[in-house]
Amino acid sequence: MLDPSNIIEMRLRRKFLPRSLRDIGCFLIMFTFIPITFVFEVAVVLPDFHEKNGIIYIFTCLLGLFLVFNLKANMLACMLIDTSARTVVFTPPINDHQRKYWRYCSVCEMLAPPRSWHCNTCDTCILKRDHHCSFTGSCIGHQNHRYFVFFLLYLAIGATYATVYNSIYFWWLHAETYVNWFTLIKIVFPMFMLCFDMSWQNFYLLIYMLNIIASAYSMVLIAYHAPYILRGAKDCERHASLYDLGIRRNLEMVLGKRMRVAWLTPFVRSDLPHDGIHWENVIDDTEKRR
């Protein structure tokens, strides 16, 4: 059974900045893309749709602020929260049957709990490691999985919302400027066109293309990760059915006990019902129910 007394205290990473060149590049793109897109939508696109200082304009701006805040805050939470195994003092089970699920990590030189795995980029074992996220420069594991989920969710909503507005802006309201073969070439080769023409029109097209990419990519990632979460599994995990506790409890394992309000802001406390260490208890509980 799950024991709430085993819940570990949340810790912050001391070295949270991206380390590899790939992580740095992806992080910088995401870090700069979000606020630039927001300014573009508010200052350039929305005034062509709604009257400035009108109710709809103000509401849309506030909705955009809410999305940007949650995007940035959840992204930062993924980076700051330490979900590694080095910060925890382990007490492996004495029972040989339960202890067989633990393994020895030769890099960290310690006995690692079930579902943990070593990340070469982070250079440590991660509790319930799902994957390494280049956009946050950190591993997604037991403690920060919730923030990654909402980061993806708000990215999909924000990018799709902006793409719809931008599509109407470019192809309908300003069709005389953008509907031509030259625009198609610019879309196919966005960076190439900026090297020869650093106009605002080309910069707007670049933002538009990045929104389309962000919308499509985030939706693909949601479609990929959602089945794992609903089954209580993690990415590339063998015997994932051993951790399936039902949809509601599986969601609680990621989003916490207050998952109904956790989406509002990452500052809402939503304690996880498990410590991320003693998964052998969950396995025994699952096997008994079968």
Side-chain angles (χ1 to χ4, degrees):
M1 297 295 291
L2 304 183
D3 185 3
S5 64
N6 286 334
I7 297 174
I8 59 176
E9 183 181 354
M10 190 177 295
R11 297 175 175 84
L12 299 181
R13 296 172 63 195
R14 294 181 180 179
K15 298 180 180 180
F16 62 90
L17 293 177
R19 301 182 182 183
S20 68
L21 289 177
R22 176 186 174 183
D23 287 0
I24 293 173
C26 292
F27 166 76
L28 289 177
I29 290 174
M30 188 61 64
F31 187 78
T32 56
F33 163 70
I34 295 173
I36 289 176
T37 297
F38 175 74
V39 172
F40 170 66
E41 301 300 330
V42 171
V44 179
V45 177
L46 286 182
D48 278 13
F49 286 84
H50 314 295
E51 181 183 354
K52 275 193 174 182
N53 300 323
I55 295 178
I56 299 179
Y57 179 85
I58 293 174
F59 172 78
T60 307
C61 289
L62 291 176
L63 178 61
L65 280 173
F66 175 77
L67 292 173
V68 170
F69 165 75
N70 273 287
L71 264 171
K72 287 286 190 178
N74 281 291
M75 180 180 178
L76 188 62
C78 285
M79 300 173 64
L80 288 176
I81 294 177
D82 192 348
T83 190
S84 68
R86 287 183 174 178
T87 58
V88 184
V89 179
F90 296 132
T91 54
I94 301 177
N95 188 305
D96 291 336
H97 172 70
Q98 293 183 337
R99 189 163 182 163
K100 71 179 182 180
Y101 298 108
W102 290 59
R103 62 177 185 81
Y104 181 78
C105 176
S106 59
V107 181
C108 295
E109 297 183 342
M110 68 175 189
L111 197 62
R115 312 188 83 183
S116 65
W117 204 254
H118 188 88
C119 175
N120 293 326
T121 304
C122 297
D123 193 29
T124 185
C125 280
I126 305 297
L127 293 176
K128 193 193 169 188
R129 183 180 184 272
D130 189 77
H131 69 285
H132 183 88
C133 176
S134 293
F135 292 108
T136 62
S138 61
C139 267
I140 305 304
H142 182 67
Q143 290 287 355
N144 62 357
H145 203 168
R146 159 198 170 183
Y147 307 105
F148 172 75
V149 169
F150 288 126
F151 168 71
L152 268 188
L153 181 63
Y154 283 116
L155 179 61
I157 295 173
T160 304
Y161 193 64
T163 298
V164 172
Y165 262 102
N166 295 346
S167 296
I168 300 174
Y169 175 87
F170 285 112
W171 312 127
W172 184 265
L173 299 181
H174 295 271
E176 69 283 355
T177 303
Y178 293 101
V179 179
N180 52 65
W181 287 104
F182 193 46
T183 299
L184 179 61
I185 297 175
K186 292 177 179 180
I187 291 176
V188 176
F189 305 102
M191 298 306 298
F192 180 75
M193 61 146 181
L194 286 177
C195 295
F196 293 93
D197 184 7
M198 290 291 291
S199 65
W200 283 109
Q201 291 181 356
N202 290 345
F203 185 65
Y204 295 164
L205 279 174
L206 178 62
I207 296 176
Y208 176 54
M209 288 305 301
L210 289 175
N211 270 305
I212 294 176
I213 294 172
S215 175
Y217 188 61
S218 58
M219 287 185 178
V220 169
L221 287 179
I222 289 174
Y224 176 79
H225 287 285
Y228 285 106
I229 295 173
L230 294 176
R231 297 198 310 266
K234 63 186 187 70
D235 192 14
C236 301
E237 183 176 45
R238 297 180 180 178
H239 311 298
S241 60
L242 294 175
Y243 307 99
D244 190 355
L245 300 173
I247 293 178
R248 186 184 65 82
R249 294 177 72 186
N250 291 337
L251 286 172
E252 280 188 354
M253 283 291 190
V254 174
L255 305 180
K257 297 178 180 179
R258 301 181 66 195
M259 59 181 178
R260 291 180 179 82
V261 295
W263 61 272
L264 288 170
T265 166
F267 294 102
V268 170
R269 180 167 180 172
S270 184
D271 293 332
L272 298 173
H274 196 272
D275 60 5
I277 301 173
H278 297 285
W279 294 102
E280 64 276 358
N281 296 330
V282 177
I283 296 174
D284 290 345
D285 186 29
T286 305
E287 290 178 342
K288 287 178 181 178
R289 288 189 289 109
R290 289 178 179 177

